[in-house]
Structure formats: C-alpha cells, structure tokens
Amino acid sequence: MKPGKATTGKSITAGGAGKFYEEPIDPYLPGVGNRGYRVSRYELDLTYKVASNRLAGKATVTAATTQARTKFAFDLSQSLAVSKVSVNGTRAAKYAHQNGKLTVTPAQKIPSGGALSVTVQYAGTPKPVRGPWGEVGWEELSEGAIVASQPNGAASWFPCDDHPSSKASYQISITTDSPYHVVANGALVRKQVRASHTTWVYEQSEPMASYLATVQIGPYERRRVATNTPVVMHAVLPQRLRTRFDHDFARQPEMMETFIRLFGPYPFADYTVVVTDDELEIPVEAQGISVFGANHCDGRRGSERLVAHELAHQWFGNSLTLGAWRHIWLHEGFACYAEWLWSENSGGPTAREIAAQVHRTQSGLPYDLVLGDPGPTLMFDDRVYKRGALTVHALRTELGDDNFFALLHEWTAKYRYGTVTTEDFTDLAAHYSDRSLRPLWDGWLVGRTLPALRDV
Ligand SMILES: [Zn+2]
C-alpha cells in the first residue's frame, strides 16, 4: 500500500428522482461534508446572549455548483432550528433539517458551474457535537463562550460544508452584551457599541477550513504584545492572569522568529493568543488564533511546549490543511516536532536528544497504529503525535539539515493556503534526496512496528 493515496469517492445514482447513494467525502467522518458545490465564502451575522447561551444567526453561504442537482446539503446541528432558507435571493422551494443535515431544494434548477448563494436563518441553544474525540464545537464557559471544532464541530454554530478540504473566506459578525470582548478569525474591521450591545465584525480573507473558524467571548482585555517582531501579536485574557501570562508567554516573539526562520514566512496577518478564565484540558488551534486555559498560565512556563505546538499549527494545519483526516500526521507530527525544534533553538535539549528519549518510550508501547492511516478512533492518539514527530526527525537525519529545512520552506510556500496529502509531501521530499525515500516512508508511515532511529 502506498501511503497518502487519496481515496476518491464516487456518487452512484441508484435510480429514482434525486435519490443517491453516496460514498462519504471522508471515511473517517462519514456523516460530514457535502457534494455538488464548492463554497467560496461564509458571511455569518450572529447574535449571542451570554446569560442564556442563546444564539441567533443569519448565514449566507456563497458557492459554485459542481453538479446540476435538485438539492444541496449543509451540515447543521439539530440544536439549532431553521426558520427561513432562501437560494439566490428567492425563497427555497423546500428545505428539510434532519440528522445534522440541512437539505435545500432551490425553486429553480441551477446548472453545473452556476452560482449558489444560500441564506439560512436559525436560532437555538448551541451545544457541542459529541463524538469519539469528546465534545467539539460551540461551548458555554462560566462567563462567555469558546468554539473549538476539530474535527466536526463547526456545524454546532453555522450551516457549512464541514470538511477540511473545503476552504473559504469568512466574515463573522457577532453582537453580544457590551462588557464582553469578542475575538473571531481575521481582522476586526468594525466595532459598533450600542448601549448594552456591541457588534464585532471580523474579516478572514485567507481561505479557512470550517473547523478552524472560531468565536471567543469572555471578560477579556486585549493587548498588543511584542511590538518589534515581524508579525503583530495580541493577547486576549482576563486581567487577573496578566502577570503570569507575561512571564509564561514572554518567549513567544522569539519563538515566532525561530519558526519563520525554520518554516518560512508566517502565513497570516497577525497572531492572537486567547486565555480563557476557565481551565481547559488542552489548548486549541484556530486560524490566526490559539486558545489556552487559565491552567496553562502557571507562572512557571509549564506549558511552553504547547505554546510552540499551537503556534506551529499556523503553518502545519491552518495554512496547509489536510485533504482527508487520514493525513493527520501532517498536522500533529509537524506541530509536535516544532516543540522539539523550539527546545533545540532555545537552550533546551536538542531534537535529537528528545527523539532518542521519545523513541525509547514508544518502543515500549503496543504498536497497532499505522501512521499514514491511523483510522478515525486513533487519529488523535498520542502515538500519532509522537511517531509523527519521530518520522519528521528520521527524514531530517536522512536529508541533512540544509535539505530538510529547504524542503520545509518549499512545502509551506508551494501549498500555502492549500489542501495537502501525505503523497504531496513524500513527492516533494523526493526532490531533496539522491536516494529513494521509499524505505523510510514504508517503515514509518505504513509499517506497524517502530523503525530504529539512524542517528542514535
Ligand atoms: Zn496539535
């Protein structure tokens, strides 16, 4: 088996008007993602009441059809009730909202390649989506809200094509109670205060996968940190955590400069770190934003490894996004290796030393995991992160530092804002080696046993 070979689904007409049996877009998440159109833009106009966790919205999804079909589906949680749907400015002939799918029948048939603009009005009490990886999506905090949607939580707050290969620009407008600070992806283009309510409008112009779309609402203050780095960086957090934050995140500007040197230009206009007043089990990546919990500010830099991990996702995951969830090591293996690179570049143990130690621990674990196709239940398993990072390290050893870092630069430039697969990476890597890398990929990505490291 060749790692990274894309699975292309086919749609099979089972006879009958509009009845289709369709292979899932992604076998790891068979319920989500939709066929027949490509979204280019989402415009979300939302109102949120913090005290009652009530969300009301109007979403306009702009797309181009890729097939002539009678109806089009969007992912949308049943926690939200749809009140009106229009297509290209006229009321939809029909719509149905069942099992997390909003199916829309336009009044007039749209040819393939035609414009599809769907406006959906909806409201409800948003709840996270439950799955094998815990609860993801819109979640209430003690005071405010957090959105962390990897992998399928976007449908908990807006109608979407909830698959990472579907990337689009976004405008997110949120009206909420005035005392709260709101962060969403991209640039704040407008803020309008009206007595008890404030409207915040954010524009995300670089393409973004739906799981990376986010809204953060809380009793936060926003501050610019690091005024002399090439990338504008902000911190958004409760006032009470400021002293600890200033200590724990002090090396972030240096980290940003290190990663730009090692990976290539930072892909977005700015970078914001949000720290919630609540504790969070794990930090969360969003496009241009990372979200940490109050517990990640311990005043001892105890989470600096995670600060590096989340920042690295801006290149590996957010700018370059997997085309199917089986390629998850392209996100987590690289972000984990970035932790080791940060250590090496900031006076800590070298990546080689960390790799040797991690390899010893991994050798003692039962190995039934195939890194290039771990399966849906294991896709966020710690072994994907650690073996993924070891794979990147094995490649670095094989190529040598000059070629390895040149490859990383070309990888992040060639596929900037795009969709990537394992095969895209192995194909590109082949240009940086005189010898075939096939044995390396077979061992690390396809094999079930842990290959030895060459440099330890
Ligand atoms: Zn990660």
Side-chain angles (χ1 to χ4, degrees):
M1 190 181 69
K2 219 171 167 191
K5 197 167 185 305
T7 317
T8 45
K10 290 181 205 76
S11 89
I12 300 150
T13 309
K19 293 268 183 224
F20 289 98
Y21 163 74
E22 291 183 319
E23 277 181 36
I25 301 275
D26 194 320
Y28 278 30
L29 283 163
V32 298
N34 304 286
R35 294 186 188 280
Y37 61 89
R38 286 295 298 184
V39 180
S40 58
R41 183 166 174 84
Y42 292 91
E43 287 181 4
L44 311 178
D45 188 355
L46 311 172
T47 303
Y48 183 66
K49 289 201 176 75
V50 171
S52 56
N53 187 35
R54 175 92 186 159
L55 181 71
K58 186 174 92 169
T60 302
V61 186
T62 306
T65 58
T66 54
Q67 289 167 354
R69 43 165 73 196
T70 52
K71 41 190 169 183
F72 299 90
F74 300 87
D75 300 296
L76 182 66
S77 159
Q78 296 301 134
S79 301
L80 302 166
V82 174
S83 55
K84 193 178 167 190
V85 178
S86 63
V87 180
N88 295 345
T90 52
R91 221 179 171 102
K94 248 191 338 198
Y95 68 85
H97 187 200
Q98 286 169 336
N99 305 320
K101 288 284 182 192
L102 173 67
T103 310
V104 175
T105 308
Q108 258 122 40
K109 200 159 181 190
I110 302 165
S112 175
L116 175 69
S117 169
V118 178
T119 302
V120 181
Q121 282 184 31
Y122 59 99
T125 305
K127 275 207 299 261
V129 175
R130 268 206 199 101
W133 319 278
E135 296 196 323
V136 291
W138 189 290
E139 200 168 349
E140 242 189 310
L141 292 173
S142 306
E143 214 186 335
I146 180 173
V147 179
S149 297
Q150 184 175 247
N152 61 339
S156 70
W157 63 290
F158 66 101
C160 54
D161 183 27
D162 200 6
H163 189 264
S165 61
S166 177
K167 297 176 90 169
S169 72
Y170 282 69
Q171 186 182 77
I172 302 174
S173 164
I174 296 253
T175 301
T176 194
D177 312 82
S178 285
Y180 296 102
H181 190 97
V182 177
V183 179
N185 312 89
L188 179 65
V189 291
R190 194 160 60 84
K191 183 183 166 187
Q192 194 175 359
V193 184
R194 271 187 238 91
S196 61
H197 290 89
T198 299
T199 300
W200 307 70
V201 184
Y202 283 88
E203 177 70 38
Q204 171 67 62
S205 46
E206 295 90 1
M208 175 165 77
S210 50
Y211 84 89
L212 294 168
T214 195
V215 171
Q216 305 292 330
I217 303 173
Y220 306 138
E221 54 170 40
R222 177 179 183 261
R223 205 148 58 77
R224 182 162 177 187
V225 289
T227 43
N228 54 356
T229 53
V231 178
V232 176
M233 298 165 86
H234 285 101
V236 174
L237 66 155
Q239 214 263 331
R240 71 172 179 97
L241 296 172
R242 185 171 172 162
T243 310
R244 285 181 168 195
F245 177 89
D246 285 351
H247 175 264
D248 290 1
F249 287 72
R251 299 208 289 180
Q252 235 186 190
E254 202 187 323
M255 197 183 273
M256 177 68 89
E257 281 171 20
T258 303
F259 286 174
I260 289 171
R261 180 167 52 81
L262 300 178
F263 306 149
Y266 178 77
F268 305 111
D270 56 14
Y271 183 60
T272 298
V273 166
V274 177
V275 184
T276 61
D277 210 15
D278 296 51
E279 301 204 337
L280 296 182
E281 204 180 319
I282 46 163
V284 168
E285 78 252 31
Q287 190 147 307
I289 301 168
S290 295
V291 185
F292 292 83
N295 49 312
H296 298 119
C297 291
D298 59 6
R300 288 179 281 114
R301 284 193 188 136
S303 297
E304 197 177 73
R305 174 180 80 76
L306 301 172
V307 175
H309 182 106
E310 300 308 322
L311 177 59
H313 272 310
Q314 301 302 330
W315 287 264
F316 309 109
N318 305 0
S319 173
L320 281 71
T321 310
L322 45 72
W325 286 107
R326 62 182 293 201
H327 308 296
I328 185 72
W329 82 281
L330 292 175
H331 292 188
E332 300 306 346
F334 283 68
C336 186
Y337 196 63
E339 299 172 23
W340 305 357
L341 287 171
W342 169 245
S343 170
E344 177 172 296
N345 282 275
S346 61
T350 62
R352 182 170 168 265
E353 286 163 344
I354 300 170
Q357 194 216 327
V358 169
H359 191 272
R360 273 195 297 276
T361 336
Q362 293 288 299
S363 304
L365 297 176
Y367 248 101
D368 55 349
L369 178 135
V370 175
L371 184 62
D373 193 3
T377 50
L378 293 180
M379 74 168 156
F380 298 115
D381 190 281
D382 190 55
R383 289 171 296 172
V384 169
Y385 292 60
K386 299 288 179 6
R387 187 180 175 128
L390 288 172
T391 304
V392 179
H393 185 72
L395 178 68
R396 180 183 174 186
T397 309
E398 175 72 27
L399 299 183
D401 276 9
D402 287 354
N403 275 333
F404 172 75
F405 288 109
L407 164 64
L408 291 193
H409 276 250
E410 193 184 352
W411 176 237
T412 62
K414 185 176 179 187
Y415 292 99
R416 192 172 162 103
Y417 310 136
T419 299
V420 290
T421 65
T422 301
E423 198 167 43
D424 292 331
F425 185 69
T426 56
D427 283 353
L428 192 66
H431 296 293
Y432 288 84
S433 176
D434 296 331
R435 292 193 296 184
S436 169
L437 295 173
R438 189 49 55 196
L440 184 143
W441 300 129
D442 282 347
W444 286 97
L445 296 174
V446 186
R448 281 175 195 272
T449 52
L450 196 67
L453 284 176
R454 270 185 46 202
D455 63 337
V456 291

